[in-house]
Amino acid sequence: MRVLVIGALGQLGTDICVELANEELCRADLDSDDIILDVTERQAVHTCIADFAPSIVINAAAEHEVETCEAHPERAFQVNATGAFYVAQACAAVKARLVHISTDYVFGGRPPKPLRPYRETDIPAPLNVYGASKRAGEHLIAAVCPDHIIVRTAALYGLAPCRGKGGRNFVETMLTLASSGRDIKVVTDIHTSPTYTLALARQLRMLAEKAEPGIYHAACAGACSWYEFAQAIFEEMGIAAPLQEAKARDFQSLVRRPAYVALDNARARSMGIDVMPDWRKALKEYAAARRLAEHATA
């Protein structure tokens, strides 16, 4: 199959390209060696997709630094909503399947009662600009591209740098803080579903090939607090770190963040195509891959 990956050089995009390396693959990004593409430029998006004529387009391009989105909402909506709309229009024009990456942050305003991971049937209620811009993108995609797969995921980490966050992800941030010897304070009252990008890339391929159009959740199974995630990181890496419990109110922020955004891959599971591992198992795989990468470059 012919696959165009937009945002191919990012943390997730890199692993998507690894997973699809045996396909006829084209990489598009702001500074790609294949195609230089900015999703906010309508004509460039339409020309790129029309010329390559892919059967599948995976859009991993996003503005996802939450503080930046809050400070610059116009840019957040240009990329996450208008840009997604342009990609969806172009896919519809050539009858390509669009796999679009969305976020757990479309939720948070009205948690399920009793509390449980969010399913695809739960009503979104974003609390901040980032979540609202991604939700707007979901609406626009569904309006213009019949063959769409919208994939909500959560708390991504991987071996490749997260370009949208200055190369950082939570795992690398924790390891950097541990190497500094300083006390590390992590919140116990915000819960999520930590997701390894390579595991997500495998799920995206499954959804692209077998899923019916619609919205899907794709996160590693289970939920934990950010503090529990940090504990697990240090355990897997064999690091004794000065980790301390904290509350969200202990950190000053102008951005409202949901306290609970764990995801349930209910729809894919019901179709027998949920291949996401438990979050602790995925973290073990990541830790092993990281050690191999460090050994190879030593």
Side-chain angles (χ1 to χ4, degrees):
M1 57 186 177
R2 291 170 64 85
V3 184
L4 172 66
V5 179
I6 302 174
L9 302 184
Q11 179 177 239
L12 175 58
T14 297
D15 279 342
I16 292 171
C17 292
V18 169
E19 175 62 23
L20 297 173
N22 62 335
E23 303 297 338
E24 189 175 353
L25 186 64
C26 182
R27 298 167 174 83
D29 213 317
L30 294 172
D31 52 354
S32 174
D33 289 337
D34 286 357
I35 295 179
I36 295 175
L37 183 66
D38 183 338
V39 295
T40 67
E41 298 178 0
R42 181 183 181 278
Q43 190 55 55
V45 170
H46 279 259
T47 299
C48 169
I49 292 176
D51 287 352
F52 184 63
S55 54
I56 294 171
V57 174
I58 302 178
N59 182 24
E63 187 69 56
H64 53 76
E65 174 58 61
V66 179
E67 287 82 2
T68 301
C69 289
E70 206 71 17
H72 304 283
E74 69 290 345
R75 175 62 182 173
F77 276 85
Q78 284 171 356
V79 176
N80 297 336
T82 305
F85 177 64
Y86 293 158
V87 173
Q89 280 185 319
C91 286
V94 300
K95 294 183 170 53
R97 163 160 283 199
L98 171 59
V99 179
H100 176 79
I101 312 304
S102 191
T103 176
D104 55 338
Y105 267 40
V106 301
F107 295 113
R110 294 189 294 270
K113 295 182 179 180
L115 193 63
R116 56 161 174 76
Y118 285 96
R119 300 169 187 147
E120 292 88 345
T121 51
D122 289 318
I123 299 173
L127 294 177
N128 52 45
V129 170
Y130 170 58
S133 67
K134 293 296 283 186
R135 180 58 177 155
E138 292 182 358
H139 280 302
L140 291 169
I141 289 166
V144 299
C145 183
D147 194 4
H148 66 268
I149 304 289
I150 294 169
V151 183
R152 296 173 181 150
T153 191
L156 296 182
Y157 65 94
L159 292 179
C162 182
R163 286 154 60 94
K165 296 182 178 180
R168 298 175 288 111
N169 62 40
F170 183 77
V171 177
E172 293 303 322
T173 297
M174 289 298 103
L175 296 177
T176 298
L177 289 173
S179 67
S180 74
R182 294 179 293 170
D183 289 342
I184 305 169
K185 294 183 179 181
V186 183
V187 296
T188 60
D189 55 347
I190 297 180
H191 291 72
T192 188
S193 300
T195 299
Y196 178 29
T197 50
L198 187 57
L200 176 57
R202 297 175 189 134
Q203 181 68 72
L204 293 175
R205 178 170 194 148
M206 179 72 74
L207 293 171
E209 294 177 348
K210 298 186 177 182
E212 299 173 356
I215 294 175
Y216 293 82
H217 291 175
C220 286
C224 65
S225 70
W226 287 102
Y227 178 85
E228 291 168 326
F229 187 26
Q231 278 185 316
I233 291 165
F234 295 136
E235 288 174 10
E236 293 299 334
M237 299 298 180
I239 295 173
L243 186 61
Q244 298 180 2
E245 295 184 2
K247 299 294 184 181
R249 64 175 179 267
D250 298 331
F251 299 90
Q252 291 187 344
S253 176
L254 298 176
V255 183
R256 295 177 66 198
R257 286 178 169 82
Y260 187 90
V261 282
L263 297 180
D264 180 352
N265 308 334
R267 190 174 184 195
R269 187 170 61 252
S270 71
M271 298 173 64
I273 54 174
D274 177 18
V275 297
M276 296 298 292
D278 176 82
W279 73 268
R280 281 299 303 252
K281 182 178 180 181
L283 182 60
K284 287 182 183 292
E285 181 185 355
Y286 166 85
R290 192 178 189 278
R291 285 190 287 268
L292 281 175
E294 289 178 337
H295 180 74
T297 57

PDB file of all heavy atoms in Angstrom, residues 158-196:
ATOM      1  N   GLY A 158       8.551   7.911  23.558  1.00  0.00           N
ATOM      2  CA  GLY A 158       9.229   7.027  22.617  1.00  0.00           C
ATOM      3  C   GLY A 158      10.700   7.351  22.565  1.00  0.00           C
ATOM      4  O   GLY A 158      11.192   8.240  23.259  1.00  0.00           O
ATOM      5  N   LEU A 159      11.426   6.628  21.721  1.00  0.00           N
ATOM      6  CA  LEU A 159      12.867   6.829  21.615  1.00  0.00           C
ATOM      7  C   LEU A 159      13.215   8.104  20.845  1.00  0.00           C
ATOM      8  O   LEU A 159      14.207   8.755  21.135  1.00  0.00           O
ATOM      9  CB  LEU A 159      13.519   5.621  20.939  1.00  0.00           C
ATOM     10  CG  LEU A 159      13.511   4.308  21.722  1.00  0.00           C
ATOM     11  CD1 LEU A 159      14.174   3.211  20.900  1.00  0.00           C
ATOM     12  CD2 LEU A 159      14.220   4.453  23.062  1.00  0.00           C
ATOM     13  N   ALA A 160      12.417   8.449  19.854  1.00  0.00           N
ATOM     14  CA  ALA A 160      12.691   9.649  19.062  1.00  0.00           C
ATOM     15  C   ALA A 160      12.326  10.894  19.859  1.00  0.00           C
ATOM     16  O   ALA A 160      11.403  10.861  20.688  1.00  0.00           O
ATOM     17  CB  ALA A 160      11.905   9.610  17.756  1.00  0.00           C
ATOM     18  N   PRO A 161      13.004  12.003  19.639  1.00  0.00           N
ATOM     19  CA  PRO A 161      12.670  13.245  20.349  1.00  0.00           C
ATOM     20  C   PRO A 161      11.266  13.726  19.997  1.00  0.00           C
ATOM     21  O   PRO A 161      10.799  13.573  18.873  1.00  0.00           O
ATOM     22  CB  PRO A 161      13.725  14.240  19.848  1.00  0.00           C
ATOM     23  CG  PRO A 161      14.840  13.401  19.318  1.00  0.00           C
ATOM     24  CD  PRO A 161      14.195  12.168  18.771  1.00  0.00           C
ATOM     25  N   CYS A 162      10.602  14.304  20.991  1.00  0.00           N
ATOM     26  CA  CYS A 162       9.295  14.917  20.764  1.00  0.00           C
ATOM     27  C   CYS A 162       9.517  16.342  20.280  1.00  0.00           C
ATOM     28  O   CYS A 162       9.760  17.254  21.073  1.00  0.00           O
ATOM     29  CB  CYS A 162       8.476  14.903  22.058  1.00  0.00           C
ATOM     30  SG  CYS A 162       6.829  15.600  21.854  1.00  0.00           S
ATOM     31  N   ARG A 163       9.457  16.542  18.962  1.00  0.00           N
ATOM     32  CA  ARG A 163       9.818  17.829  18.362  1.00  0.00           C
ATOM     33  C   ARG A 163       8.917  18.961  18.858  1.00  0.00           C
ATOM     34  O   ARG A 163       9.370  20.080  19.057  1.00  0.00           O
ATOM     35  CB  ARG A 163       9.743  17.717  16.844  1.00  0.00           C
ATOM     36  CG  ARG A 163      10.894  16.916  16.251  1.00  0.00           C
ATOM     37  CD  ARG A 163      10.511  16.286  14.913  1.00  0.00           C
ATOM     38  NE  ARG A 163      10.124  17.254  13.915  1.00  0.00           N
ATOM     39  CZ  ARG A 163      10.955  17.779  13.006  1.00  0.00           C
ATOM     40  NH1 ARG A 163      12.231  17.444  13.012  1.00  0.00           N
ATOM     41  NH2 ARG A 163      10.514  18.622  12.102  1.00  0.00           N
ATOM     42  N   GLY A 164       7.642  18.671  19.052  1.00  0.00           N
ATOM     43  CA  GLY A 164       6.721  19.703  19.480  1.00  0.00           C
ATOM     44  C   GLY A 164       6.921  20.165  20.908  1.00  0.00           C
ATOM     45  O   GLY A 164       6.363  21.175  21.330  1.00  0.00           O
ATOM     46  N   LYS A 165       7.727  19.418  21.679  1.00  0.00           N
ATOM     47  CA  LYS A 165       7.980  19.776  23.074  1.00  0.00           C
ATOM     48  C   LYS A 165       9.473  19.933  23.336  1.00  0.00           C
ATOM     49  O   LYS A 165       9.975  19.603  24.403  1.00  0.00           O
ATOM     50  CB  LYS A 165       7.382  18.731  24.007  1.00  0.00           C
ATOM     51  CG  LYS A 165       5.864  18.646  23.922  1.00  0.00           C
ATOM     52  CD  LYS A 165       5.284  17.645  24.898  1.00  0.00           C
ATOM     53  CE  LYS A 165       3.760  17.625  24.812  1.00  0.00           C
ATOM     54  NZ  LYS A 165       3.157  16.661  25.751  1.00  0.00           N
ATOM     55  N   GLY A 166      10.186  20.411  22.329  1.00  0.00           N
ATOM     56  CA  GLY A 166      11.614  20.672  22.501  1.00  0.00           C
ATOM     57  C   GLY A 166      12.441  19.432  22.736  1.00  0.00           C
ATOM     58  O   GLY A 166      13.492  19.487  23.378  1.00  0.00           O
ATOM     59  N   GLY A 167      11.991  18.293  22.192  1.00  0.00           N
ATOM     60  CA  GLY A 167      12.729  17.040  22.349  1.00  0.00           C
ATOM     61  C   GLY A 167      12.388  16.277  23.611  1.00  0.00           C
ATOM     62  O   GLY A 167      12.915  15.192  23.842  1.00  0.00           O
ATOM     63  N   ARG A 168      11.489  16.827  24.440  1.00  0.00           N
ATOM     64  CA  ARG A 168      11.191  16.221  25.736  1.00  0.00           C
ATOM     65  C   ARG A 168       9.985  15.285  25.675  1.00  0.00           C
ATOM     66  O   ARG A 168       9.094  15.448  24.869  1.00  0.00           O
ATOM     67  CB  ARG A 168      10.895  17.312  26.770  1.00  0.00           C
ATOM     68  CG  ARG A 168      12.043  18.262  27.054  1.00  0.00           C
ATOM     69  CD  ARG A 168      11.602  19.376  27.999  1.00  0.00           C
ATOM     70  NE  ARG A 168      10.709  20.323  27.328  1.00  0.00           N
ATOM     71  CZ  ARG A 168       9.406  20.457  27.602  1.00  0.00           C
ATOM     72  NH1 ARG A 168       8.842  19.697  28.520  1.00  0.00           N
ATOM     73  NH2 ARG A 168       8.671  21.354  26.969  1.00  0.00           N
ATOM     74  N   ASN A 169       9.987  14.282  26.549  1.00  0.00           N
ATOM     75  CA  ASN A 169       8.783  13.575  26.944  1.00  0.00           C
ATOM     76  C   ASN A 169       8.903  13.292  28.436  1.00  0.00           C
ATOM     77  O   ASN A 169       9.928  13.596  29.051  1.00  0.00           O
ATOM     78  CB  ASN A 169       8.549  12.295  26.117  1.00  0.00           C
ATOM     79  CG  ASN A 169       9.669  11.271  26.290  1.00  0.00           C
ATOM     80  OD1 ASN A 169      10.188  11.065  27.391  1.00  0.00           O
ATOM     81  ND2 ASN A 169      10.033  10.615  25.194  1.00  0.00           N
ATOM     82  N   PHE A 170       7.882  12.742  29.047  1.00  0.00           N
ATOM     83  CA  PHE A 170       7.892  12.571  30.501  1.00  0.00           C
ATOM     84  C   PHE A 170       9.016  11.648  30.952  1.00  0.00           C
ATOM     85  O   PHE A 170       9.682  11.917  31.963  1.00  0.00           O
ATOM     86  CB  PHE A 170       6.538  12.036  30.976  1.00  0.00           C
ATOM     87  CG  PHE A 170       6.433  11.908  32.472  1.00  0.00           C
ATOM     88  CD1 PHE A 170       6.230  13.033  33.257  1.00  0.00           C
ATOM     89  CD2 PHE A 170       6.537  10.674  33.091  1.00  0.00           C
ATOM     90  CE1 PHE A 170       6.140  12.917  34.645  1.00  0.00           C
ATOM     91  CE2 PHE A 170       6.446  10.549  34.471  1.00  0.00           C
ATOM     92  CZ  PHE A 170       6.235  11.682  35.259  1.00  0.00           C
ATOM     93  N   VAL A 171       9.256  10.571  30.212  1.00  0.00           N
ATOM     94  CA  VAL A 171      10.300   9.628  30.602  1.00  0.00           C
ATOM     95  C   VAL A 171      11.664  10.309  30.610  1.00  0.00           C
ATOM     96  O   VAL A 171      12.419  10.218  31.593  1.00  0.00           O
ATOM     97  CB  VAL A 171      10.315   8.406  29.661  1.00  0.00           C
ATOM     98  CG1 VAL A 171      11.456   7.467  30.038  1.00  0.00           C
ATOM     99  CG2 VAL A 171       8.990   7.660  29.717  1.00  0.00           C
ATOM    100  N   GLU A 172      11.985  10.998  29.519  1.00  0.00           N
ATOM    101  CA  GLU A 172      13.288  11.651  29.446  1.00  0.00           C
ATOM    102  C   GLU A 172      13.417  12.770  30.484  1.00  0.00           C
ATOM    103  O   GLU A 172      14.496  13.001  31.034  1.00  0.00           O
ATOM    104  CB  GLU A 172      13.519  12.194  28.037  1.00  0.00           C
ATOM    105  CG  GLU A 172      13.651  11.108  26.976  1.00  0.00           C
ATOM    106  CD  GLU A 172      14.770  10.121  27.288  1.00  0.00           C
ATOM    107  OE1 GLU A 172      15.824  10.535  27.795  1.00  0.00           O
ATOM    108  OE2 GLU A 172      14.574   8.920  27.032  1.00  0.00           O
ATOM    109  N   THR A 173      12.312  13.451  30.757  1.00  0.00           N
ATOM    110  CA  THR A 173      12.339  14.484  31.792  1.00  0.00           C
ATOM    111  C   THR A 173      12.663  13.886  33.148  1.00  0.00           C
ATOM    112  O   THR A 173      13.494  14.418  33.907  1.00  0.00           O
ATOM    113  CB  THR A 173      10.993  15.219  31.845  1.00  0.00           C
ATOM    114  OG1 THR A 173      10.776  15.892  30.607  1.00  0.00           O
ATOM    115  CG2 THR A 173      10.978  16.247  32.973  1.00  0.00           C
ATOM    116  N   MET A 174      12.034  12.750  33.467  1.00  0.00           N
ATOM    117  CA  MET A 174      12.310  12.092  34.744  1.00  0.00           C
ATOM    118  C   MET A 174      13.767  11.635  34.827  1.00  0.00           C
ATOM    119  O   MET A 174      14.430  11.787  35.865  1.00  0.00           O
ATOM    120  CB  MET A 174      11.380  10.893  34.931  1.00  0.00           C
ATOM    121  CG  MET A 174       9.921  11.265  35.190  1.00  0.00           C
ATOM    122  SD  MET A 174       9.672  12.217  36.718  1.00  0.00           S
ATOM    123  CE  MET A 174       9.460  13.869  36.041  1.00  0.00           C
ATOM    124  N   LEU A 175      14.290  11.075  33.765  1.00  0.00           N
ATOM    125  CA  LEU A 175      15.668  10.591  33.775  1.00  0.00           C
ATOM    126  C   LEU A 175      16.661  11.744  33.896  1.00  0.00           C
ATOM    127  O   LEU A 175      17.684  11.628  34.584  1.00  0.00           O
ATOM    128  CB  LEU A 175      15.942   9.765  32.519  1.00  0.00           C
ATOM    129  CG  LEU A 175      15.114   8.471  32.398  1.00  0.00           C
ATOM    130  CD1 LEU A 175      15.413   7.765  31.084  1.00  0.00           C
ATOM    131  CD2 LEU A 175      15.372   7.539  33.565  1.00  0.00           C
ATOM    132  N   THR A 176      16.348  12.855  33.242  1.00  0.00           N
ATOM    133  CA  THR A 176      17.213  14.030  33.357  1.00  0.00           C
ATOM    134  C   THR A 176      17.214  14.570  34.784  1.00  0.00           C
ATOM    135  O   THR A 176      18.268  14.905  35.347  1.00  0.00           O
ATOM    136  CB  THR A 176      16.756  15.128  32.384  1.00  0.00           C
ATOM    137  OG1 THR A 176      16.857  14.634  31.045  1.00  0.00           O
ATOM    138  CG2 THR A 176      17.612  16.377  32.527  1.00  0.00           C
ATOM    139  N   LEU A 177      16.041  14.646  35.396  1.00  0.00           N
ATOM    140  CA  LEU A 177      15.951  15.122  36.772  1.00  0.00           C
ATOM    141  C   LEU A 177      16.672  14.179  37.726  1.00  0.00           C
ATOM    142  O   LEU A 177      17.348  14.627  38.667  1.00  0.00           O
ATOM    143  CB  LEU A 177      14.480  15.255  37.181  1.00  0.00           C
ATOM    144  CG  LEU A 177      13.703  16.402  36.534  1.00  0.00           C
ATOM    145  CD1 LEU A 177      12.227  16.319  36.895  1.00  0.00           C
ATOM    146  CD2 LEU A 177      14.270  17.753  36.951  1.00  0.00           C
ATOM    147  N   ALA A 178      16.560  12.880  37.480  1.00  0.00           N
ATOM    148  CA  ALA A 178      17.239  11.916  38.345  1.00  0.00           C
ATOM    149  C   ALA A 178      18.751  12.077  38.274  1.00  0.00           C
ATOM    150  O   ALA A 178      19.450  11.959  39.288  1.00  0.00           O
ATOM    151  CB  ALA A 178      16.833  10.495  37.963  1.00  0.00           C
ATOM    152  N   SER A 179      19.270  12.350  37.087  1.00  0.00           N
ATOM    153  CA  SER A 179      20.721  12.508  36.930  1.00  0.00           C
ATOM    154  C   SER A 179      21.237  13.780  37.597  1.00  0.00           C
ATOM    155  O   SER A 179      22.425  13.884  37.910  1.00  0.00           O
ATOM    156  CB  SER A 179      21.090  12.529  35.442  1.00  0.00           C
ATOM    157  OG  SER A 179      20.570  13.686  34.801  1.00  0.00           O
ATOM    158  N   SER A 180      20.328  14.737  37.847  1.00  0.00           N
ATOM    159  CA  SER A 180      20.741  15.981  38.488  1.00  0.00           C
ATOM    160  C   SER A 180      20.897  15.832  39.996  1.00  0.00           C
ATOM    161  O   SER A 180      21.519  16.678  40.644  1.00  0.00           O
ATOM    162  CB  SER A 180      19.713  17.083  38.199  1.00  0.00           C
ATOM    163  OG  SER A 180      18.526  16.881  38.953  1.00  0.00           O
ATOM    164  N   GLY A 181      20.293  14.780  40.562  1.00  0.00           N
ATOM    165  CA  GLY A 181      20.373  14.557  41.994  1.00  0.00           C
ATOM    166  C   GLY A 181      19.385  15.370  42.804  1.00  0.00           C
ATOM    167  O   GLY A 181      19.341  15.260  44.035  1.00  0.00           O
ATOM    168  N   ARG A 182      18.577  16.180  42.136  1.00  0.00           N
ATOM    169  CA  ARG A 182      17.603  17.002  42.850  1.00  0.00           C
ATOM    170  C   ARG A 182      16.360  16.191  43.221  1.00  0.00           C
ATOM    171  O   ARG A 182      16.059  15.176  42.597  1.00  0.00           O
ATOM    172  CB  ARG A 182      17.192  18.198  41.993  1.00  0.00           C
ATOM    173  CG  ARG A 182      18.308  19.199  41.724  1.00  0.00           C
ATOM    174  CD  ARG A 182      17.799  20.322  40.841  1.00  0.00           C
ATOM    175  NE  ARG A 182      17.468  19.832  39.491  1.00  0.00           N
ATOM    176  CZ  ARG A 182      16.825  20.542  38.573  1.00  0.00           C
ATOM    177  NH1 ARG A 182      16.407  21.766  38.862  1.00  0.00           N
ATOM    178  NH2 ARG A 182      16.592  20.041  37.382  1.00  0.00           N
ATOM    179  N   ASP A 183      15.624  16.670  44.239  1.00  0.00           N
ATOM    180  CA  ASP A 183      14.356  16.048  44.580  1.00  0.00           C
ATOM    181  C   ASP A 183      13.391  16.191  43.408  1.00  0.00           C
ATOM    182  O   ASP A 183      13.361  17.226  42.731  1.00  0.00           O
ATOM    183  CB  ASP A 183      13.748  16.706  45.818  1.00  0.00           C
ATOM    184  CG  ASP A 183      14.519  16.372  47.089  1.00  0.00           C
ATOM    185  OD1 ASP A 183      15.282  15.388  47.069  1.00  0.00           O
ATOM    186  OD2 ASP A 183      14.347  17.093  48.093  1.00  0.00           O
ATOM    187  N   ILE A 184      12.611  15.147  43.173  1.00  0.00           N
ATOM    188  CA  ILE A 184      11.680  15.127  42.050  1.00  0.00           C
ATOM    189  C   ILE A 184      10.262  15.043  42.593  1.00  0.00           C
ATOM    190  O   ILE A 184       9.911  14.064  43.259  1.00  0.00           O
ATOM    191  CB  ILE A 184      11.963  13.929  41.129  1.00  0.00           C
ATOM    192  CG1 ILE A 184      13.428  13.931  40.669  1.00  0.00           C
ATOM    193  CG2 ILE A 184      11.020  13.932  39.938  1.00  0.00           C
ATOM    194  CD1 ILE A 184      13.840  12.654  39.979  1.00  0.00           C
ATOM    195  N   LYS A 185       9.449  16.050  42.319  1.00  0.00           N
ATOM    196  CA  LYS A 185       8.066  16.069  42.775  1.00  0.00           C
ATOM    197  C   LYS A 185       7.139  15.775  41.601  1.00  0.00           C
ATOM    198  O   LYS A 185       7.209  16.442  40.574  1.00  0.00           O
ATOM    199  CB  LYS A 185       7.723  17.434  43.381  1.00  0.00           C
ATOM    200  CG  LYS A 185       8.492  17.752  44.664  1.00  0.00           C
ATOM    201  CD  LYS A 185       8.059  19.086  45.241  1.00  0.00           C
ATOM    202  CE  LYS A 185       8.802  19.388  46.535  1.00  0.00           C
ATOM    203  NZ  LYS A 185       8.383  20.681  47.120  1.00  0.00           N
ATOM    204  N   VAL A 186       6.293  14.767  41.783  1.00  0.00           N
ATOM    205  CA  VAL A 186       5.381  14.349  40.713  1.00  0.00           C
ATOM    206  C   VAL A 186       3.984  14.172  41.302  1.00  0.00           C
ATOM    207  O   VAL A 186       3.830  13.651  42.418  1.00  0.00           O
ATOM    208  CB  VAL A 186       5.852  13.050  40.047  1.00  0.00           C
ATOM    209  CG1 VAL A 186       4.931  12.674  38.889  1.00  0.00           C
ATOM    210  CG2 VAL A 186       7.284  13.188  39.537  1.00  0.00           C
ATOM    211  N   VAL A 187       2.984  14.562  40.546  1.00  0.00           N
ATOM    212  CA  VAL A 187       1.611  14.585  41.065  1.00  0.00           C
ATOM    213  C   VAL A 187       1.014  13.185  41.199  1.00  0.00           C
ATOM    214  O   VAL A 187       1.244  12.304  40.364  1.00  0.00           O
ATOM    215  CB  VAL A 187       0.690  15.455  40.190  1.00  0.00           C
ATOM    216  CG1 VAL A 187       1.142  16.905  40.230  1.00  0.00           C
ATOM    217  CG2 VAL A 187       0.641  14.953  38.757  1.00  0.00           C
ATOM    218  N   THR A 188       0.240  13.022  42.253  1.00  0.00           N
ATOM    219  CA  THR A 188      -0.470  11.764  42.511  1.00  0.00           C
ATOM    220  C   THR A 188      -1.946  11.857  42.141  1.00  0.00           C
ATOM    221  O   THR A 188      -2.645  10.835  42.145  1.00  0.00           O
ATOM    222  CB  THR A 188      -0.374  11.390  43.989  1.00  0.00           C
ATOM    223  OG1 THR A 188      -0.970  12.433  44.780  1.00  0.00           O
ATOM    224  CG2 THR A 188       1.072  11.184  44.419  1.00  0.00           C
ATOM    225  N   ASP A 189      -2.429  13.065  41.838  1.00  0.00           N
ATOM    226  CA  ASP A 189      -3.870  13.264  41.652  1.00  0.00           C
ATOM    227  C   ASP A 189      -4.265  13.533  40.200  1.00  0.00           C
ATOM    228  O   ASP A 189      -5.364  14.012  39.936  1.00  0.00           O
ATOM    229  CB  ASP A 189      -4.380  14.388  42.559  1.00  0.00           C
ATOM    230  CG  ASP A 189      -3.635  15.705  42.384  1.00  0.00           C
ATOM    231  OD1 ASP A 189      -2.569  15.711  41.741  1.00  0.00           O
ATOM    232  OD2 ASP A 189      -4.128  16.736  42.889  1.00  0.00           O
ATOM    233  N   ILE A 190      -3.386  13.233  39.252  1.00  0.00           N
ATOM    234  CA  ILE A 190      -3.737  13.271  37.832  1.00  0.00           C
ATOM    235  C   ILE A 190      -3.402  11.904  37.247  1.00  0.00           C
ATOM    236  O   ILE A 190      -2.281  11.411  37.393  1.00  0.00           O
ATOM    237  CB  ILE A 190      -2.979  14.373  37.081  1.00  0.00           C
ATOM    238  CG1 ILE A 190      -3.371  15.759  37.626  1.00  0.00           C
ATOM    239  CG2 ILE A 190      -3.263  14.296  35.588  1.00  0.00           C
ATOM    240  CD1 ILE A 190      -2.665  16.915  36.942  1.00  0.00           C
ATOM    241  N   HIS A 191      -4.379  11.284  36.595  1.00  0.00           N
ATOM    242  CA  HIS A 191      -4.224   9.921  36.083  1.00  0.00           C
ATOM    243  C   HIS A 191      -4.360   9.880  34.564  1.00  0.00           C
ATOM    244  O   HIS A 191      -5.148  10.629  33.979  1.00  0.00           O
ATOM    245  CB  HIS A 191      -5.259   8.990  36.717  1.00  0.00           C
ATOM    246  CG  HIS A 191      -5.027   8.739  38.174  1.00  0.00           C
ATOM    247  ND1 HIS A 191      -5.260   9.696  39.137  1.00  0.00           N
ATOM    248  CD2 HIS A 191      -4.569   7.634  38.822  1.00  0.00           C
ATOM    249  CE1 HIS A 191      -4.963   9.192  40.326  1.00  0.00           C
ATOM    250  NE2 HIS A 191      -4.544   7.956  40.167  1.00  0.00           N
ATOM    251  N   THR A 192      -3.610   8.990  33.950  1.00  0.00           N
ATOM    252  CA  THR A 192      -3.598   8.876  32.489  1.00  0.00           C
ATOM    253  C   THR A 192      -3.283   7.438  32.089  1.00  0.00           C
ATOM    254  O   THR A 192      -3.207   6.547  32.945  1.00  0.00           O
ATOM    255  CB  THR A 192      -2.558   9.852  31.895  1.00  0.00           C
ATOM    256  OG1 THR A 192      -2.677   9.870  30.468  1.00  0.00           O
ATOM    257  CG2 THR A 192      -1.145   9.468  32.288  1.00  0.00           C
ATOM    258  N   SER A 193      -3.108   7.210  30.795  1.00  0.00           N
ATOM    259  CA  SER A 193      -2.727   5.898  30.254  1.00  0.00           C
ATOM    260  C   SER A 193      -1.428   6.056  29.470  1.00  0.00           C
ATOM    261  O   SER A 193      -1.452   6.328  28.267  1.00  0.00           O
ATOM    262  CB  SER A 193      -3.828   5.357  29.317  1.00  0.00           C
ATOM    263  OG  SER A 193      -5.052   5.191  29.987  1.00  0.00           O
ATOM    264  N   PRO A 194      -0.264   5.923  30.117  1.00  0.00           N
ATOM    265  CA  PRO A 194       1.012   6.110  29.412  1.00  0.00           C
ATOM    266  C   PRO A 194       1.113   5.186  28.203  1.00  0.00           C
ATOM    267  O   PRO A 194       0.823   3.982  28.293  1.00  0.00           O
ATOM    268  CB  PRO A 194       2.054   5.741  30.479  1.00  0.00           C
ATOM    269  CG  PRO A 194       1.349   5.917  31.781  1.00  0.00           C
ATOM    270  CD  PRO A 194      -0.071   5.533  31.522  1.00  0.00           C
ATOM    271  N   THR A 195       1.547   5.739  27.074  1.00  0.00           N
ATOM    272  CA  THR A 195       1.511   4.985  25.821  1.00  0.00           C
ATOM    273  C   THR A 195       2.835   5.094  25.077  1.00  0.00           C
ATOM    274  O   THR A 195       3.290   6.192  24.744  1.00  0.00           O
ATOM    275  CB  THR A 195       0.361   5.502  24.932  1.00  0.00           C
ATOM    276  OG1 THR A 195      -0.883   5.313  25.625  1.00  0.00           O
ATOM    277  CG2 THR A 195       0.306   4.740  23.614  1.00  0.00           C
ATOM    278  N   TYR A 196       3.424   3.944  24.808  1.00  0.00           N
ATOM    279  CA  TYR A 196       4.682   3.838  24.068  1.00  0.00           C
ATOM    280  C   TYR A 196       4.396   3.996  22.580  1.00  0.00           C
ATOM    281  O   TYR A 196       3.529   3.315  22.027  1.00  0.00           O
ATOM    282  CB  TYR A 196       5.321   2.491  24.378  1.00  0.00           C
ATOM    283  CG  TYR A 196       6.617   2.170  23.682  1.00  0.00           C
ATOM    284  CD1 TYR A 196       7.519   3.147  23.289  1.00  0.00           C
ATOM    285  CD2 TYR A 196       6.960   0.843  23.440  1.00  0.00           C
ATOM    286  CE1 TYR A 196       8.711   2.833  22.673  1.00  0.00           C
ATOM    287  CE2 TYR A 196       8.157   0.502  22.835  1.00  0.00           C
ATOM    288  CZ  TYR A 196       9.028   1.500  22.444  1.00  0.00           C
ATOM    289  OH  TYR A 196      10.213   1.183  21.833  1.00  0.00           O
TER     290      TYR A 196
END
